[in-house]
Amino acid sequence: MMSEVETRTASEHTRARLLDAAREVFSQYGFQGATVREICRRADANGAAVNYHFGSKEGLLTEALNFSQLAALQNDNVKSADCPKERLRLFLRDFMLMLLDEKNASSQCRIMARELADPTPALDQIVSEAIAPLHKFLGKLLREIVGDQVSETELRRCVYSILGQCQFYRHSHPVLQRMNPKLRYDHKEIEAIAEHIADFSLAGIRHLAKKST
Amino acid sequence: MMSEVETRTASEHTRARLLDAAREVFSQYGFQGATVREICRRADANGAAVNYHFGSKEGLLTEALNFSQLAALQNDNVKSADCPKERLRLFLRDFMLMLLDEKNASSQCRIMARELADPTPALDQIVSEAIAPLHKFLGKLLREIVGDQVSETELRRCVYSILGQCQFYRHSHPVLQRMNPKLRYDHKEIEAIAEHIADFSLAGIRHLAKKST
DNA sequence: CAGATTATCAAACGCTTGTTTGAAAGTAAA
DNA sequence: TTTACTTTCAAACAAGCGTTTGATAATCTG
C-alpha cells in the first residue's frame, strides 16, 4: 500500500493533508472556532496528528499561513510596464479576485481577515509578512500617482480607504447576502466590484492631490 | 442592606449590571471568546445569574444589543437643514466618533463589527435592526447627492465604499497599531479621519455622478 | 406574622476543547 | 531477520465551557 511515487513519504503526505484541511477550516470558522478534531477528520488523520506534526494547534496555523500568492501578485504588478493608475486598476482586479473567489485558494486571505477581528499570536507574523508589505506596496503605488505634495499621513489614509473598501466585501459578506440574497461573487461581479473601487478611489486620490497643490 | 432607592429592585440592578458587563466583554472578546463566568465576575454576580435572568448566553447577547444611539444619530441627521453633502460630512463625523471613541458606549458597534466576522444567531437581529436601516439611510443620502442618473447598483457600491472605509479603522485597529505604534484614536484624530473619508468619498461619488450623465 | 414567590449562591453536571499517553504498526538500515 | 526509529492510533486527560440543581436568603403578599 506504500508504493506511492509522487509523495515523498507517507508522513509528508499526512502533513500536507493536514495543512490543506487546516487552511480550509481556519478560513471557515476562524482560529477559535476551528477544532483540531474537525481538521483531522477532513484530513483523514488521527486526532493526535496535529500535535505530533506541528506541536500544537497554533503551530499548525503558523505553518498553514502562506502569503506567496499575495506576494507574487505585488511582484507581477511592480514589473508591469503600465502607468501607476492602470497598475492600481490591475492590482485591485487581481486582489479582489483573490480575496473573493470562493473556489480560489484565497483561504490565506480569509484567515488574514479573521485575524483582524480576533487577533491570535499569529497576527504578528501576518502583519510583518503580509499586511505591512501590502501597505508599503500600495503606499508606493499611490505616491507615484499623487506626487510629492501629499503628506505621508494623507497618503496612508488613502491606502486605508482602498483596503477598507476591498475588505468590506469579504468581511461583510454574511450581512450583504442577508440583505441582498441574489448576491453572488462570480468572476464578472468581482471584476465589476474591482472596477468600482478603482474608479471611486482614483477620483478620491485625484481630489486629494489637487487639494494639496 | 436593601435600602436602595435609586434602583427599582435588587433584581433589576443585577440585570443592569449584567447587561453592562456583557456589552463590555462581548465587544472585547466577541461572542465566542466571551465567557459567562467573566461577565458574571465583572458584574459581581453569581455564575448562574445569566441563565436565571436571560435564559442563556445568547439571550444575554440579544438583550445587550441596543442600537438607539445609532438610530438617534441618523434621526438627527435627517432633521438637520444642511445640504446633502454637508449632512454626509456630519454623519461621518458623528459615526466615526461613535465607532472609534474608546470611552464611548460604542460597544454596540464593536459587537456589531465582531458579528460580521463571526456571525451568531444574533446577526439576523443586528442586520434588520441596525445594519439594514443604516444602509438605507446612507443610500437615500447619497441619492440626494448623485441624482437619478446613477443606477441602484452603483449607488449601493458607493454605500459599501463609505462603510468599508469607516469599518476599516475599527476593524483593523490591532494591525494599524502594530505598524504605527503612535496611533491613537483621540477626538482630534477621529475628526481628521472622518474628514478624510468625507473628502475621499465625495470625490468618488461626484466622479460617478459625472460619468453617468 | 405566615406563606408564597423571587433572587442568589456554591457546587456540580455534561460536554467539548487541545493535548498527552503508551501501545501497535510501519519503515529503513545492518 | 534483527534492531532502531518514525508514524499512527484509540483512549484518556485536565481544563474550560454553558448550564442545571437544590438549598438558602431575601422580598413581596395577604
Side-chain angles (χ1 to χ4, degrees), chain A residues 72-113:
Chain A
L73 197 155
Q74 296 168 47
N75 245 326
D76 293 352
N77 191 278
V78 169
K79 284 176 187 161
S80 112
D82 293 309
C83 71
K85 291 181 187 178
E86 195 54 37
R87 272 167 50 215
L88 178 61
R89 285 188 182 281
L90 288 174
F91 170 78
L92 285 172
R93 204 192 86 110
D94 294 343
F95 186 59
M96 292 309 279
L97 280 171
M98 186 173 75
L99 199 62
L100 297 185
D101 196 356
E102 319 260 353
K103 300 169 190 170
N104 186 346
S106 77
S107 21
Q108 312 294 341
C109 290
R110 287 216 282 265
I111 297 176
M112 228 166 72

Side-chain angles (χ1 to χ4, degrees), chain A residues 18-178:
Chain A
L18 281 171
L19 286 171
D20 281 345
R23 285 187 262 263
E24 214 178 276
V25 177
F26 280 143
S27 70
Q28 193 168 354
Y29 301 104
F31 181 74
Q32 269 196 117
T35 69
V36 172
R37 279 171 174 82
E38 172 65 12
I39 292 171
C40 291
R41 199 189 59 74
R42 294 204 196 187
D44 261 320
N46 184 270
V50 164
N51 291 280
Y52 178 77
H53 286 282
F54 302 97
S56 67
K57 181 187 181 184
E58 200 181 305
L60 175 60
L61 173 63
T62 298
E63 293 217 36
L65 291 172
N66 180 301
F67 308 111
S68 55
Q69 201 187 355
L70 183 62
L73 197 155
Q74 296 168 47
N75 245 326
D76 293 352
N77 191 278
V78 169
K79 284 176 187 161
S80 112
D82 293 309
C83 71
K85 291 181 187 178
E86 195 54 37
R87 272 167 50 215
L88 178 61
R89 285 188 182 281
L90 288 174
F91 170 78
L92 285 172
R93 204 192 86 110
D94 294 343
F95 186 59
M96 292 309 279
L97 280 171
M98 186 173 75
L99 199 62
L100 297 185
D101 196 356
E102 319 260 353
K103 300 169 190 170
N104 186 346
S106 77
S107 21
Q108 312 294 341
C109 290
R110 287 216 282 265
I111 297 176
M112 228 166 72
R114 289 217 165 248
E115 283 282 330
L116 297 192
D118 225 38
T120 75
L123 182 56
D124 284 321
Q125 182 193 352
I126 296 178
V127 168
S128 63
E129 291 183 18
I131 301 182
L134 175 62
H135 281 232
K136 198 173 175 184
F137 162 80
L138 268 178
K140 276 188 184 174
L141 185 49
L142 293 198
R143 177 60 78 194
E144 291 186 52
I145 298 177
V146 298
D148 293 337
Q149 295 304 312
V150 173
S151 74
E152 270 302 316
T153 301
E154 280 181 279
L155 193 83
R156 196 171 55 238
R157 291 205 180 116
C158 287
V159 172
Y160 296 169
S161 285
I162 291 174
L163 287 176
Q165 290 176 77
C166 294
Q167 283 185 22
F168 181 84
Y169 288 87
R170 150 98 1 252
H171 190 215
S172 296
H173 187 218
V175 169
L176 298 182
Q177 202 148 36
R178 268 161 222 243

Side-chain angles (χ1 to χ4, degrees), chain B residues 44 54 60 68 121-122 125 132 139 144-146 154 160-161 183 200 209:
Chain B
D44 261 320
F54 303 96
L60 175 60
S68 54
Q125 182 194 350
E144 291 187 52
I145 298 176
V146 299
E154 281 182 280
Y160 296 168
S161 285
L183 173 70
F200 193 94

Side-chain angles (χ1 to χ4, degrees), chain A residues 168-169 176 179-180 182-183 189 196, chain B residues 135 138-139 142-143 150-163 208:
Chain A
F168 181 84
Y169 288 87
L176 298 182
M179 293 194 301
N180 186 7
K182 64 192 172 194
L183 174 69
E189 174 72 9
H196 161 81
Chain B
H135 281 232
L138 269 178
L142 294 197
R143 177 60 78 194
V150 174
S151 74
E152 270 301 317
T153 301
E154 281 182 280
L155 193 82
R156 197 169 54 237
R157 291 203 179 116
C158 287
V159 172
Y160 296 168
S161 285
I162 292 174
L163 287 177
L208 253 80

